[in-house]
């Protein structure tokens, strides 16, 4: 089988009938638009390298400037300066700048951060009709946020942080039905929050902190996907926000004018990690259950008027890093669980009435008086009963009571420790589990060994990353680094300290997944290094302490900047597209990648379900298969690798799986020829019938099949060869080795060493 597929790969080399390798330039209008942006900004310094003849779609992405093209048009523009950048000169025209941006009609992602942009954002921003992600933070924009921004109905992320916007938040936000991130922190916004915020059902992040907003928070119970709510440093209140999301992770209401009680349902938000209610006037009893929420690591209720009796046997989460209870009306004693790890936990409890034996506490009478002053009337009868109980215990059961307290504290610590999540598993455990893989390089793959060496060039060695490295690379997985959220987890773009750009895929592991099995898969992808595969650079684990089982995996990949092969095929003559020779080169790259997956490692990687949208192009337009390792993180972790059974059964399975991948290659070649998407099996059969009919007809019939964008840039012999290869791969017959042999002779192939 190695020989047969190697022959098919070699066949593709024949179709390199031209030597043209230069990529086509953008339409002059878009190139001139970028040059105009350069002249208006003249910052950062990297823009000075832009010239009239610059091929913008081939520019190497950096931390300052990234240009991404899709089907011959600019779809992403990222320009990022330094946070200390001063404002641009007073004669800078914001209107002219925005009107220039509007001349990029396919722009989907626009990032203009820390560039010193100034002036009032004009209503012409509505001309960016295709934009999905807009980030213009850390500039000097002033005036009101234009109402026209609500007409950008494709917006998914809107970040206007750290500017000088004032006035009210535009109403009509409900028209932005796709919005997932709304962040306008660190501005001068005033007035009340619009009710339309409560209609953004897809919203995951809402950050309006550090403004001058007033009035009640609108009803946001419809925001069932909300994960981050940050409203700190405003004048909002008085009622606690009405929330309906059980997914909330961050809740920050600090420095506002809330003076209600905390609703009971807050103690059921089990994903809460950060709770900051400090410096308000909250009243009512403090809910001790907040201390034991399974994910909470930061709890700050300082500077309020919470009442309640704390006791030493209360439970708390072992991952708590900061607990601030100061400036309230709490009595009793601090829970022992808060004092158990003083090196790794900060606990602030001053200015209460706690029995800590320290001068930072008020007398008991102070808390009683203050509680009465805010209308919290204690139950005197219960207090008397409690006093009698304490007296009885002190006289007749002090020793027994002490033993009970110790036992309760022990059980609470044990329970909390069982739920603790640590960022790194025990090193020995991971290494032992990693050693269970049984992967070997193919012992008889003469051409594969060299392909591996070629593929490894320029790619860092596979290694284990720390979670801190990945957090630093993505600014703590900031929304600005977010790429997409699909069935295989969330994808982020990051930059390591050495300047290299990476892609990070984060996904959760189920308890049912075998640690030994996914370590086998991790070992496998670490060995898949080839110039036509997107290489995995490393991984990071986040584990549960109780059993060292993995809760989350972060896979780190090389970042491929030029989009998919599908993006580069078009039947529209006014868009940038791949030349005929580039298409052939891409086809050969895909074939080599599949060949490596099948033969470069034992057991081979089969049934990859490769689509043309899974083929990525790097800065040199080299094709790389980007989905070969995704079955590893699917729920049915069984597609990659195999368990040996009888030779006959195993050969049959490999025969079927290899046939599936080669058929996928045939469909990709078909799309390269016709230049359009072929999505269903029925459509594949229809187009293939047309293609086979044209093979037996004249050159005019074959010309009618090819993508019009390259119709006059190929030889008929080259096209016919590609068509024949596509036909035989799409409907392969592995029982007919004579077909391959005959085709090799007809094509006059020479043996090549890969």
């Amino acid at each position: 089988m190695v020989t047969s597929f190697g022959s098919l790969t070699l066949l593709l080399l024949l179709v390199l009938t031209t030597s043209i390798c230069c990529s086509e330039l953008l339409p002059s209008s878009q190139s001139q638009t970028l040059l105009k942006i350069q002249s208006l900004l003249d910052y950062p310094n990297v823009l000075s390298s832009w010239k009239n003849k610059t091929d913008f779609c081939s520019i190497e992405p950096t931390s300052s400037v990234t240009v991404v093209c899709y089907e011959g048009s600019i779809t992403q523009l990222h320009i990022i300066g330094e946070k200390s950048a001063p404002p641009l000169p007073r004669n800078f025209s914001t209107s002219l700048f925005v009107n220039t941006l509007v001349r990029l009609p396919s722009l989907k992602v626009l990032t203009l951060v820390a560039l010193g942009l100034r002036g009032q954002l004009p209503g012409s921003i509505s001309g960016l009709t295709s934009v999905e992600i807009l980030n213009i933070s850390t500039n000097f924009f002033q005036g009101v946020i234009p109402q026209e921004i609500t007409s950008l109905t494709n917006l998914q992320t809107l970040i206007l942080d750290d500017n000088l916007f004032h006035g009210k938040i535009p109403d009509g936000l409900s028209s932005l039905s796709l919005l997932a991130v709304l962040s306008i922190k660190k501005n001068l916004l005033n007035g009340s929050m619009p009710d339309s915020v409560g209609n953004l059902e897809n919203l995951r992040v809402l950050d309006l902190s550090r403004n001058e907003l007033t009035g009640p928070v609108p009803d946001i119970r419809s925001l069932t996907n909300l994960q981050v709510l940050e409203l700190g440093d405003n004048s909002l209140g008085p009622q606690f926000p009405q929330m309906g999301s059980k997914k909330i992770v961050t809740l920050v209401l600090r420095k506002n004018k809330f003076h209600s009680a905390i609703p009971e349902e807050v103690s059921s938000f089990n994903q809460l990690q950060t709770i900051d209610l400090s410096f308000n006037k909250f009243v009512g009893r403090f809910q001790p259950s907040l201390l034991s929420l399974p994910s909470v690591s930061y709890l700050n209720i300082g500077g309020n008027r919470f009442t309640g009796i704390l006791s030493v046997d209360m439970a708390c989460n072992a991952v708590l890093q900061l607990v601030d209870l100061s400036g309230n009306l709490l009595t009793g004693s601090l829970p022992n669980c808060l004092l158990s790890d003083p090196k790794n936990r900060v606990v602030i409890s001053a200015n209460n009435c706690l029995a800590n034996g320290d001068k930072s506490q008020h007398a008991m009478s102070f808390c009683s008086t203050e509680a009465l002053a805010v209308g919290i009337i204690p139950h005197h009868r219960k207090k008397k009963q409690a006093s009698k109980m304490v007296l009885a215990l002190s006289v007749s059961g002090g020793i027994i009571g002490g033993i009970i307290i110790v036992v309760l504290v022990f059980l609470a610590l044990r329970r909390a420790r069982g739920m603790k999540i640590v960022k790194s598993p025990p090193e020995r455990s991971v290494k032992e589990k990693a050693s269970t893989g049984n992967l070997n390089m193919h012992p008889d793959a003469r051409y594969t060994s060299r392909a591996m060496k070629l593929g490894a060039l320029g790619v860092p060695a596979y290694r284990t990353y720390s979670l801190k490295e990945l957090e630093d690379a993505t600014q703590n997985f900031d929304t600005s680094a977010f790429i997409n959220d699909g069935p295989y987890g969330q994808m982020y773009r990051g930059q390591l300290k050495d300047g290299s750009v990476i892609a990070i895929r984060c996904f959760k592991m189920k308890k049912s997944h075998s640690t030994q099995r996914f370590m086998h898969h991790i070992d496998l992808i670490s060995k898949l290094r080839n110039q036509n595969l997107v290489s995995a650079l490393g991984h990071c684990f986040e584990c549960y302490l109780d059993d060292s089982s993995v809760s989350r995996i972060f896979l780190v990949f090389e970042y491929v900047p030029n989009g998919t092969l599908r993006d580069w095929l078009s039947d529209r003559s006014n868009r940038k597209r791949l030349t005929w020779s580039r298409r052939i080169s891409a086809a050969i790259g895909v074939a080599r990648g599949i060949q490596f997956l099948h033969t470069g490692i034992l057991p081979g990687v089969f049934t990859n379900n490769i689509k043309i949208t899974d083929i990525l192009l790097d800065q040199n337009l080299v094709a790389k298969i980007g989905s070969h390792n995704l079955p590893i993180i699917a729920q049915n972790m069984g597609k990659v690798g195999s368990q040996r059974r009888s030779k006959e059964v195993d050969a049959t399975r490999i025969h079927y799986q290899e046939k599936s991948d080669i058929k996928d290659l045939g469909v990709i070649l078909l799309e390269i020829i016709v230049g359009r998407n072929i999505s269903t099996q029925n459509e594949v059969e229809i187009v293939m019938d047309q293609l086979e009919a044209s093979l037996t007809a004249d050159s005019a019939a074959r010309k009618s099949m090819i993508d019009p964008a390259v119709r006059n840039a190929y030889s008929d012999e080259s096209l016919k060869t590609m068509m024949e290869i596509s036909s035989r791969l799409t409907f392969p017959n592995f029982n007919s080795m004579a077909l391959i042999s005959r085709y090799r002779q007809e094509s006059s192939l020479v043996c090549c060493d890969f």
Side-chain angles (χ1 to χ4, degrees), residues 131-143:
V131 73
E132 298 174 357
I133 299 176
L134 177 61
N135 182 355
I136 56 173
S137 58
T138 319
N139 285 291
F140 297 88
F141 287 113
Q142 57 190 27

Side-chain angles (χ1 to χ4, degrees), residues 203-206 223-229 245 247-248:
L203 206 61
R204 293 187 295 107
V205 176
L206 177 59
L223 308 187
T224 55
N225 295 308
L226 194 65
Q227 298 175 19
V228 175
L229 178 63
S245 174
K247 303 176 183 178
I248 194 77

Side-chain angles (χ1 to χ4, degrees), residues 259-261 281-286 304-308 329 367-380:
H259 54 75
S260 62
K281 295 182 180 180
F282 282 112
V283 297
R285 289 190 174 274
F286 169 65
N304 286 285
R305 297 183 179 181
F306 288 114
T307 61
L329 307 174
C367 290
S368 300
T369 303
E370 289 294 316
L372 288 171
V374 296
I376 304 172
I377 301 176
H379 298 284
H380 296 286

Side-chain angles (χ1 to χ4, degrees), residues 125-261:
I125 193 76
S126 61
L128 296 171
T129 54
S130 298
V131 73
E132 298 174 357
I133 299 176
L134 177 61
N135 182 355
I136 56 173
S137 58
T138 319
N139 285 291
F140 297 88
F141 287 113
Q142 57 190 27
V144 298
I145 300 172
Q147 182 68 33
E148 289 84 353
I149 208 165
T150 61
S151 66
L152 301 178
T153 54
N154 290 314
L155 268 181
Q156 299 175 26
T157 296
L158 177 60
I159 304 175
L160 308 177
D161 300 342
D162 199 5
N163 280 284
L164 301 171
F165 289 116
H166 62 78
K168 295 184 178 182
I169 300 172
D171 207 348
L173 291 175
S174 53
S175 62
L176 305 179
S177 59
L178 302 178
L179 200 62
V181 176
L182 176 60
S183 184
I184 324 179
K185 65 184 178 183
K186 294 181 69 177
N187 280 278
L188 304 172
L189 298 174
N190 52 44
S192 59
M193 293 174 58
D195 292 339
S196 54
V197 169
N199 298 324
L200 301 174
E201 296 182 355
N202 289 311
L203 206 61
R204 293 187 295 107
V205 176
L206 177 59
D207 190 345
L208 304 176
S209 58
R210 301 182 67 176
N211 281 284
E212 298 171 0
L213 298 173
T214 59
V217 177
D219 189 342
I220 55 174
R221 285 176 291 185
S222 297
L223 308 187
T224 55
N225 295 308
L226 194 65
Q227 298 175 19
V228 175
L229 178 63
E230 293 206 16
L231 302 176
D233 295 87
N234 283 286
S235 297
L236 296 167
Q239 297 299 315
F240 197 97
Q242 294 179 289
M243 298 184 296
S245 174
K246 297 294 184 180
K247 303 176 183 178
I248 194 77
V249 173
T250 300
L251 175 62
V252 177
L253 304 177
R254 70 187 304 269
K255 289 189 178 179
N256 276 283
K257 294 185 178 180
F258 295 106
H259 54 75
S260 62

Side-chain angles (χ1 to χ4, degrees), residues 41 91 135 142 160 185 246 413 484 516 541 684:
L41 292 180
N91 61 356
N135 182 355
Q142 57 190 27
L160 308 177
K185 65 184 178 183
K246 297 294 184 180
L413 286 172
N484 60 55
Q516 179 175 345
F541 293 135
V684 170

